[in-house]
Structure formats: C-alpha cells, structure tokens
Amino acid sequence: MSPPVRVALLGFSNFERSALAACFRLAGVREPHYGQVTDLEDADLLVADADHAASVQLVQATERLADTVFIGAQPPEDARAWMARPIDPLHVMRELDAMVAQRARGQGGAAPALPLPLPPEPPAVPPPASSRVVPAELPAELPVEPPAAAPPIRPPAAPPAAPRARRQPPAARLLQHTLLVDDSAIATLFLQKCLEPFGLQIATAANSGRATLLMSQQRFDLIFLDVELGDDSPMDGLALCQQIRRHPVRAGEQPPVVVMVSAHHRELDRVRGTLAGCDAYLGKPLQQAELHKLMRRHGVEPVQPAAAPSG
C-alpha cells in the first residue's frame, strides 16, 4: 500500500474536525488513503473552513488554493474545490481523490482508482414536441415605439433631522495583571518601560515553562507573547497562545487579552498569530504609539504621562 496523502485541516469546530479525522481513519484501507497532519508545510492537501477568515487568508498567503478543498457558505475567488455545509465526509473524500488524480496526471503517472465515484449525471430529457417553440421569420427591421414619458415623481419631504445623540465611550475593561513572556531581557525591559504609564502590575517570564507556572498561580488580564522564545522554552509563543486559549475560563470571567510581539510581522506571520488565537499582533521594534492605540482599544488609558523609554 502506498503511503498516505497528508492532509491538514484549517479552521472548523472540534466536532467537524473529529468527523473528518474519523473519516480519514475509517478509509485507511482504500487507495488513495489519507493521514491528518498538523503542520501546514508537511501537508500535501488542505481542507479549509471557508467561513473562517483567518484560514482563508492563510491559504491565500501560502499560495495553496490549488491544493485546498473549501467548505462553507462562500468560497474565495479562484477556489478549485468547494462545497457547502453541512459537511459530507464522503463528498470531501471524492474532492480529495480528484485532486490526487489530477496531480498524478500532471506528473505523468497513472491516475489512482477512485473507489467513491461521483454519481452519473441524469440524462437530458428533450422537451415534448408540443412545447417546442419554432421561431418565426422576423422582418429585417422592427418598429420601435418610444416609451411614454413618465410623470415626474416628487421625492417625499425629508423628515426633520433628529438630534444627534452623543456617542458614549465603550465600557472600559479592567486590565490590571499583566504577563510579559520574552527570552530577551532587553526586550522585556523595553516593553515594561512602555507600559509604565498605564500603572499595570507586571510579571515576567523568559520561557513558556515559567509562564505556564505563573499562569497556574495567578490569573492575568493581559499577556504579551514573543513568538520565538529560544531553545530553553518547551513551546514557542504560538503554541503557548493556543494552550492559553484551550484553558477553560471560569463563569463570570473574561479570557485574557493575548498580544503577540515579534520581529517577524509579515502578513503570513500575522495570520498565523490569528489562527493561534491572539487578539493583536505587534511588530518589533515596538512602536509606542501603536502600543498606546492597542491599549485604548481595550479601554485602558494612561494614568501618568508617557515617558520616552531608553533604548
């Protein structure tokens, strides 16, 4: 038996992911058969949630539209394969089979047999003779009567403008306890200086292990994560962000605001951060104005004048 075709799932609910993974496992004795992988770069084909904007952006940023089966209400432009919800695992398998066969033909190989063929198209039924319309011979020119002039329509009188209500500011969320996770002591100190005007209670961690320990001992409202945490860290910032999002939140509490901070801030990097579950993505070197804009967006205002951090 040939090795499995590697497939990555992007987006979807836990139930949908479990259903697709179970379908791949049950079809492991057929050809072609499929195996699920978690890393996008290791995948031969992709199955993406068309209703999850970050997943669509990731497919487009990596230029893998031709390798992707989209499932959702509205496929992106230039999508090669798409189906609407609810998810039919057999339909997904047929689309993946078609992609595998197309690849084999493109590489000059024999196309694999498809054990789940698409149902045949119903034969076309000609209309009855009585319903057939035979066009009569038309004259060379047809007289065209000018349309009658419509009476002028007066627009209705505009109602008096209501007094404009004053825009109420959004309710401020109390963000007090803050955690900074970065393997660079210089970068951590710089971020601390930038956050000083907000009067936050700040804790720091140089790796994901220390950060996990602190989060088990105390609840944080705001977490800044560097993406690359060095060789001493069991997880990078993206994996740590995913772990934070999987942690259950107590009733009446709000999940922490997670901000990724990295020197790598291309569009693809930002999409990966969004898929990991972060609320915002800031680039390095950190721009103080951008940081203050982010804090205000979450209802946090400075309690003292900002001082220009050194370095």
Side-chain angles (χ1 to χ4, degrees):
M1 179 177 290
S2 62
V5 179
R6 299 166 298 181
V7 180
L9 305 179
L10 301 180
F12 302 110
S13 65
N14 293 334
F15 175 79
E16 291 173 332
R17 296 176 72 92
S18 299
L20 289 170
C23 183
F24 294 156
R25 288 194 302 270
L26 294 175
V29 297
R30 68 197 286 278
E31 287 290 345
H33 58 288
Y34 303 94
Q36 185 180 351
V37 296
T38 57
D39 195 338
L40 185 66
E41 298 178 354
D42 295 337
D44 301 311
L45 300 174
L46 311 175
V47 180
D49 188 347
D51 301 325
H52 188 232
S55 297
V56 176
Q57 293 172 8
L58 183 57
V59 173
Q60 293 172 333
T62 53
E63 299 181 352
R64 300 201 61 178
L65 284 169
D67 303 333
T68 305
V69 176
F70 287 97
I71 302 176
Q74 182 64 39
E77 295 182 2
D78 301 327
R80 302 293 180 87
W82 167 77
M83 64 192 70
R85 279 183 166 89
I87 296 178
D88 180 358
L90 294 182
H91 192 178
V92 176
M93 297 284 282
R94 288 197 292 267
E95 293 293 343
L96 293 173
D97 289 343
M99 285 187 171
V100 173
Q102 184 178 9
R103 283 189 169 195
R105 288 192 296 268
Q107 297 173 359
L114 303 183
L116 297 171
L118 292 172
E121 296 289 339
V125 178
S130 58
S131 64
R132 295 180 184 176
V133 178
V134 179
E137 185 176 353
L138 299 178
E141 296 183 0
L142 295 177
V144 179
E145 296 183 1
I153 300 177
R154 295 183 178 180
R164 180 178 298 179
R166 296 185 62 183
R167 184 178 181 182
Q168 299 296 329
R173 176 182 174 183
L174 180 60
L175 300 181
Q176 182 66 29
H177 298 284
T178 304
L179 176 62
L180 313 183
V181 186
D182 199 315
D183 61 328
S184 169
I186 297 177
T188 300
L189 180 60
F190 182 79
L191 182 54
Q192 281 183 285
K193 291 291 185 182
C194 292
L195 292 172
E196 275 185 0
F198 299 95
L200 305 173
Q201 298 181 14
I202 297 177
T204 64
N207 54 61
S208 63
R210 175 64 178 170
T212 303
L213 177 62
L214 292 175
M215 286 186 290
S216 67
Q217 299 171 347
Q218 178 183 348
R219 177 181 175 275
F220 290 97
D221 308 301
L222 182 60
I223 302 175
F224 288 86
L225 298 179
D226 186 18
V227 174
E228 297 180 353
L229 295 176
D231 298 333
D232 295 334
S233 182
M235 294 179 287
D236 64 5
L238 296 174
L240 181 57
C241 181
Q242 291 176 329
Q243 177 177 293
I244 294 171
R245 290 309 184 209
R246 288 194 296 265
H247 193 274
V249 180
R250 296 179 181 178
E253 294 183 351
Q254 291 182 313
V257 175
V258 180
V259 182
M260 305 299 301
V261 184
S262 176
H264 306 288
H265 47 89
R266 299 171 303 171
E267 184 65 25
L268 177 58
D269 300 313
R270 294 177 181 272
V271 170
R272 286 176 172 170
T274 302
L275 289 174
C278 74
D279 297 285
Y281 200 107
L282 298 179
K284 288 183 178 180
L286 188 64
Q287 301 296 322
Q288 195 169 8
E290 188 177 1
L291 174 64
H292 281 226
K293 182 178 179 181
L294 167 69
M295 299 296 286
R296 289 190 177 94
R297 190 162 65 244
H298 289 280
V300 184
E301 295 289 342
V303 296
Q304 55 181 312
S310 58

